Amino acid sequence: MTPATTTRRRLDPVTFEVLKNAFVTSVDLMSEQILRTCYSFVIYSRDFSSALCDAHGNTVMQGSQDIAVHVGTLHFQCKAVLEEFSDDINPGDVFCVNDPYRGGTHLNDVSFIRPIFADDQLIGFAQNKGHWADIGGSVPGSFDVTATEHFAEGLRITPVRIWHEGRFLGDVAKLLVANTRAPEISMGDLHAQAEATGVCEREIQRLVAKYGRDTVVEAMAEVQDYVERIVRQRVAELPDGEWVTEDYLDSDPSKPEGMVPIRVKMTIQGDQLSYDLSGSAPAVASFLNCGYGTAFSGIVAGTKTFFPDVPLNSGLYAAINTDIGPEGTVVNAGWPIAVTGFCSGPYEKIMNAIFELWSAIMPERAIACSFNLEYLLVGGRDARGDDRPFFMWYDWMAGGWGGRSTKDGSTATAPVFGVGLAVQPCEGQERLTPVLTTKHAIIPDSGGPGLHRGGCGVTKGGTLTDCENTVMSYCCDRSRSVTWGINGGLPSIPHGVWLNRGTVEEAFLGSVFSSVAVQAGDTFERPSAGGGGLGDPLGRAPEDVLEDVIDGYVTVPGGARDYGVVITPIDPEIDQYEIDRAATEALRAEIRAARKQWLNVDPEEVAGRFRDGELDTFDLLRRYGVIVDWGTGELLPNTTKQFRDLLHVRAAAHWD
């Protein structure tokens, strides 16, 4: 802890508290402004964040509904502007940047940064970052799974000035939006985001007029010191030690099958909290890599989850030491390695790994693995109108969070990537694009079994209507590194897209693909996973399993298979079921005696039984720990060994 951290308290407590909360309000006002003025349906669904930074680029405050993935990156983008323009920053300027190699997220996330002056002195910056539905590149939506360098992903914007002393540089703005597939929408979002930063600027200047410039600047510094001081004090109260875990990407396309490790080591020594990601694998030959900014963001967001009452600013960052590791790894991919898919790749793996580590230290806040963010993009020409405009159907789903220390995981919830994200209304999607939603429902048995069950995922299906020259891309993961449980809990279900399921043209496209040609009349569906279970599922009260059956979260066969609870349907139409106590006791004893041996059964034999229809996906994942190609049933031996090893550590080691 620095001396400034311990001694800087020059503001009286009341003024400090008023200004601390006023800074939050100034950021939230930006959010309210952009919700009312944005052009993109993606941004309207809250894929954006805002921040107030000080004159050095440090984050003073983020808003109350910002999405996690932008946490820990906004100050990097602000510092990049300072590095590029230093003494050439003026009142009325607005800068734009999306560079993932300068601490940003991915190319679609475009930031607008406005300096704030008081009495001709730079005192801070207002920033808004929003996800543009397209930023160019080789596929609609700019999510090309096959990209290995950013040149195929879209337009990289290094810090550039869009307004100069209040004058709009239209030629520069047009150059940017002309490289997108929807320039009118992009130009609208550009103005909406830039004007939102003006709302924050005016609010800070109002505070300066009321309290004085020096008081506001001092408050910006003190709120950061306040957060660092709280975090260090709380860390100092915890036991010293070192904790290590791994999570995985499904595969590296350039290598034989096998999951790709992301290794997280956490150390507490006194009041110092440290993370080390240097043991992670080299960058993969796809766009599922992290830049250093997003790896840092994953660390910050994962940690913040266990300090929910602490305000979010650079004081938290100052309290954490991080070693992201050398450039060229899956968590620190330097230029020009592709990183657009970081959000479905390493980012949430870092967060969930940190959840597991903190769950060991704070068992009262324990949480198992949560479902993985996924994006399905369909783009082409909309044939419903004579002008055949480009369309982009850009969709993400809710899913299940991991079981918790005292309760089940949340069902059909936004991903840990961005809890503020809203599920896009299908009515709006259908009006804007030629894609009809045919189903959207919770998936029974998708929550990982446990003493505390993981939340359930959902399934969503659609049909393409009047479209031409259309392709589909999918950014996801955890088709093989399936959402896992802890402390004896079991996994959820795999991700993946099915095309024309139940027809002679049925095809399993998997969890990562790009530019698959589709046409009018094609149907598609995909699930989102549930959360992993926490605790031994055989310890779950039969009454709780019965309640899950009544609620539609667990099926009668699933109750027997996963929990050893035998339930007899009496009249399902009125939710009348009965627990068979004797059969339940016998089945649980049978499962308890056999389940560790199931993890030693020959994987090829298990895969063969799956191909023959004798076993299903739940059997493979939760009983035998076997991973196959879910379309063909072909065994993945290397992946299966890794998956079984994880089941032994996270599940079997905790069983009686």
Side-chain angles (χ1 to χ4, degrees), residues 457-471:
V458 303
T459 182
K460 189 171 184 179
T463 300
L464 300 175
T465 58
D466 303 292
C467 62
E468 297 173 351
N469 303 323
T470 302
V471 296

Side-chain angles (χ1 to χ4, degrees), residues 626-655:
V626 171
I627 303 295
V628 300
D629 180 304
W630 302 111
T632 67
E634 177 188 357
L635 176 69
L636 302 175
N638 297 329
T639 303
T640 292
K641 182 182 184 307
Q642 292 170 302
F643 189 74
R644 279 186 165 182
D645 288 345
L646 292 175
L647 273 179
H648 279 292
V649 172
R650 290 184 171 126
H654 300 269
W655 295 336

Side-chain angles (χ1 to χ4, degrees), residues 40-43 45-47 106 108 131-134 140-143 287 343-344 371-379 391-399 414-415 417 421-441 458-464 471-477 495-497 511 513 524-528:
S40 164
F41 202 47
V42 175
I43 292 181
S45 297
R46 300 204 71 100
D47 195 347
H106 54 193
N108 293 76
H131 185 112
W132 287 14
D134 187 273
S142 313
F143 274 55
F287 74 163
C343 42
S344 296
F371 88 104
N372 203 84
L373 173 76
E374 50 86 63
Y375 287 116
L376 184 61
L377 301 93
V378 181
F391 80 89
M392 278 157 290
W393 186 84
Y394 192 99
D395 191 58
W396 57 82
M397 288 199 294
F417 159 95
L421 281 175
V423 173
Q424 299 185 59
C426 60
E427 296 86 353
Q429 291 178 320
E430 290 169 0
R431 180 175 180 179
L432 296 171
T433 66
V435 182
L436 177 69
T437 298
T438 54
K439 67 174 179 179
H440 199 186
V458 303
T459 182
K460 189 171 184 179
T463 300
L464 300 175
V471 296
M472 177 183 290
S473 302
Y474 193 45
C475 172
C476 192
D477 201 53
H495 283 134
V497 176
S511 62
F513 58 84
F524 60 88
E525 63 180 86
R526 91 270 194 198
S528 65

Side-chain angles (χ1 to χ4, degrees), residues 274-298:
S274 303
Y275 292 96
D276 182 353
L277 274 60
S278 62
S280 301
V284 297
S286 76
F287 74 163
L288 294 175
N289 298 291
C290 264
Y292 72 87
T294 47
F296 179 78
S297 170

Side-chain angles (χ1 to χ4, degrees), residues 26-181:
S26 73
V27 178
D28 284 344
L29 286 172
M30 278 195 278
S31 300
E32 292 303 316
Q33 171 79 2
I34 195 167
L35 280 173
R36 286 160 172 76
T37 58
C38 65
Y39 278 50
S40 164
F41 202 47
V42 175
I43 292 181
Y44 180 74
S45 297
R46 300 204 71 100
D47 195 347
F48 70 87
S49 295
S50 304
L52 171 66
C53 297
D54 65 18
H56 305 290
N58 299 310
T59 300
V60 173
M61 201 64 69
Q62 287 200 223
S64 57
Q65 293 193 54
D66 293 329
I67 63 174
V69 72
H70 296 156
V71 170
T73 65
L74 298 178
H75 68 299
F76 287 132
Q77 303 271 259
C78 199
K79 290 175 184 288
V81 168
L82 281 164
E83 290 168 2
E84 289 293 327
F85 293 92
S86 58
D87 57 354
D88 187 20
I89 297 175
N90 313 289
D93 287 353
V94 179
F95 303 92
C96 177
V97 59
N98 75 347
D99 192 346
Y101 311 105
R102 301 290 291 275
T105 45
H106 54 193
L107 299 179
N108 293 76
D109 286 344
V110 183
S111 288
F112 291 85
I113 301 171
R114 180 188 297 268
I116 301 172
F117 286 80
D119 303 326
D120 297 323
Q121 177 180 322
L122 177 66
I123 63 169
F125 294 88
Q127 178 177 177
N128 176 272
K129 174 180 284 191
H131 185 112
W132 287 14
D134 187 273
I135 195 70
S138 58
V139 299
S142 313
F143 274 55
D144 184 351
V145 171
T146 64
T148 58
E149 295 182 335
H150 81 78
F151 308 109
E153 297 185 291
L155 180 66
R156 175 190 175 201
I157 307 170
T158 58
V160 62
R161 201 189 319 256
I162 303 292
W163 272 263
H164 183 217
E165 296 180 345
R167 182 172 63 89
F168 179 51
L169 305 181
D171 54 344
V172 179
K174 289 176 183 177
L175 174 64
L176 301 185
V177 304
N179 283 279
T180 74
R181 289 174 174 83

Side-chain angles (χ1 to χ4, degrees), residues 121-309:
Q121 177 180 322
L122 177 66
I123 63 169
F125 294 88
Q127 178 177 177
N128 176 272
K129 174 180 284 191
H131 185 112
W132 287 14
D134 187 273
I135 195 70
S138 58
V139 299
S142 313
F143 274 55
D144 184 351
V145 171
T146 64
T148 58
E149 295 182 335
H150 81 78
F151 308 109
E153 297 185 291
L155 180 66
R156 175 190 175 201
I157 307 170
T158 58
V160 62
R161 201 189 319 256
I162 303 292
W163 272 263
H164 183 217
E165 296 180 345
R167 182 172 63 89
F168 179 51
L169 305 181
D171 54 344
V172 179
K174 289 176 183 177
L175 174 64
L176 301 185
V177 304
N179 283 279
T180 74
R181 289 174 174 83
E184 298 87 359
I185 291 176
S186 298
M187 184 64 83
D189 285 340
L190 181 153
H191 282 283
Q193 291 179 257
E195 289 304 315
T197 63
V199 172
C200 180
E201 176 191 37
R202 291 191 291 273
E203 179 64 11
I204 296 302
Q205 289 174 340
R206 184 188 71 81
L207 295 174
V208 168
K210 182 174 183 178
Y211 294 96
R213 184 191 69 193
D214 292 345
T215 298
V216 171
V217 170
E218 178 62 28
M220 289 181 176
E222 284 201 26
V223 294
Q224 296 175 62
D225 295 340
Y226 166 76
V227 170
E228 181 180 1
R229 186 166 60 248
I230 289 175
V231 173
R232 288 189 180 278
Q233 287 173 351
R234 294 191 185 177
V235 169
E237 295 169 358
L238 300 171
D240 287 356
E242 180 179 293
W243 298 264
V244 181
T245 192
E246 287 185 346
D247 203 350
Y248 292 85
L249 300 183
D250 283 350
S251 65
D252 181 342
S254 68
K255 296 180 180 177
E257 62 89 9
M259 297 190 293
V260 178
I262 295 168
R263 186 174 187 270
V264 180
K265 180 172 73 173
M266 183 174 75
T267 305
I268 293 177
Q269 186 171 5
D271 69 352
Q272 184 60 61
L273 174 63
S274 303
Y275 292 96
D276 182 353
L277 274 60
S278 62
S280 301
V284 297
S286 76
F287 74 163
L288 294 175
N289 298 291
C290 264
Y292 72 87
T294 47
F296 179 78
S297 170
I299 290 172
V300 169
T303 305
K304 176 70 169 65
T305 303
F306 287 79
F307 298 88
D309 58 318

Side-chain angles (χ1 to χ4, degrees), residues 543-561:
E543 293 77 11
D544 290 341
V545 178
L546 174 61
E547 194 65 30
D548 285 341
V549 170
I550 293 171
D551 290 339
Y553 295 150
V554 174
T555 62
V556 169
R561 177 192 60 237

